[in-house]
Amino acid sequence: GIQVEQSPPDLILQEGANSTLRCNFSDSVNNLQWFHQNPWGQLINLFYIPSGTKQNGRLSATTVATERYSLLYISSSQTTDSGVYFCALHWGATNKLIFGTGTLLAVQP
Amino acid sequence: NAGVTQTPKFQVLKTGQSMTLQCAQDMNHEYMSWYRQDPGMGLRLIHYSVGAGITDQGEVPNGYNVSRSTTEDFPLRLLSAAPSQTSVYFCATRDSFSNQPQHFGDGTRLSIL
């Protein structure tokens, strides 16, 4: 089946720092989502991005489908950015969602 | 998360007991699915449905049953709970007929003793 790898697995930042999270995948996909799972366990949609670049405030995402990777940029990080970031691929005829193992981000004040 | 409601939020069961996790949505989405999340891992697909009366298996279907009698509801049943089913369960929906993301409920935290 399709493989999804995220890096780094863990990341500790000081408040105000910038970071880049990466998602590599092994097969062509229909679409890709980035999620933030907050400390309460809720999954928050960040981006739905099959290709190109999107921005939402301090966050932006770029997907290069032909090279099978996506990047999530977090600028001027805040403590509320802490949590786990997942990429998930929409794959196959029924658009099953295949998750990566996530990046655990801790932003320290 | 607006539109996808999961109940209960927490549940403790004994091995061998049965229970149903409820998922309801008010967005008229055709596609609904159940995932489980285990510590340190991403979510894995259990079962999904592309419309009322149609269900299919995901990656980890064993030990779970589903049915889809209405567009709004997609219950997940554990017929005989096992400790290996201790997990956090998420329901998700998507409008199949448009290019839209999946939306998740807030999850049900299930412990089986």
Side-chain angles (χ1 to χ4, degrees):
Chain A
I2 188 169
Q3 302 298 314
V4 187
E5 294 181 354
Q6 290 187 244
S7 60
D10 308 284
L11 186 59
I12 300 174
L13 298 175
Q14 293 297 313
E15 203 167 20
N18 303 328
S19 64
T20 301
L21 281 57
R22 187 176 181 100
C23 173
N24 291 332
F25 42 96
S26 61
D27 199 357
S28 300
V29 297
N30 301 327
N31 221 311
L32 184 146
Q33 276 182 264
W34 281 97
F35 293 92
H36 175 215
Q37 187 167 39
N38 63 24
W40 296 270
Q42 294 173 314
L43 281 162
I44 310 299
N45 283 311
L46 296 177
F47 294 101
Y48 185 63
I49 180 167
S51 63
T53 297
K54 291 186 177 180
Q55 182 152 8
N56 185 4
R58 296 181 296 102
L59 274 60
S60 64
T62 295
T63 297
V64 184
T66 53
E67 298 187 21
R68 300 182 181 171
Y69 73 88
S70 183
L71 303 173
L72 178 69
Y73 305 95
I74 304 174
S75 64
S76 303
S77 58
Q78 301 175 357
T79 56
T80 52
D81 295 331
S82 297
V84 183
Y85 289 82
F86 290 105
C87 67
L89 312 179
H90 292 239
W91 182 75
T94 54
N95 276 319
K96 297 178 186 180
L97 208 56
I98 309 296
F99 278 78
T101 53
T103 293
L104 176 60
L105 175 64
V107 181
Q108 298 178 337
Chain B
N1 288 322
V4 184
T5 302
Q6 289 187 237
T7 55
K9 294 191 184 303
F10 303 95
Q11 184 71 47
V12 178
L13 293 178
K14 294 181 180 179
T15 297
Q17 287 185 313
S18 63
M19 90 161 286
T20 300
L21 280 62
Q22 302 291 346
C23 177
Q25 53 105 354
D26 60 2
M27 297 177 282
N28 202 34
H29 285 175
E30 293 290 330
Y31 185 96
M32 297 185 74
S33 51
W34 278 101
Y35 294 83
R36 61 177 287 173
Q37 184 179 25
D38 299 302
M41 298 179 67
L43 280 69
R44 291 182 292 168
L45 181 64
I46 305 171
H47 284 285
Y48 66 98
S49 168
V50 298
I54 306 169
T55 64
D56 205 348
Q57 296 180 349
E59 299 173 74
V60 287
N62 292 341
Y64 307 96
N65 275 355
V66 292
S67 60
R68 183 94 178 271
S69 57
T70 67
T71 298
E72 294 77 19
D73 299 297
F74 190 43
L76 178 72
R77 298 183 184 86
L78 285 70
L79 298 180
S80 179
S84 61
Q85 294 177 303
T86 294
S87 189
V88 181
Y89 291 85
F90 288 94
C91 176
T93 75
R94 182 173 62 84
D95 184 353
S96 296
F97 301 104
S98 65
N99 193 18
Q100 295 294 326
Q102 291 207 27
H103 298 272
F104 282 79
D106 287 345
T108 294
R109 192 173 297 273
L110 181 62
S111 294
I112 299 165
L113 307 176

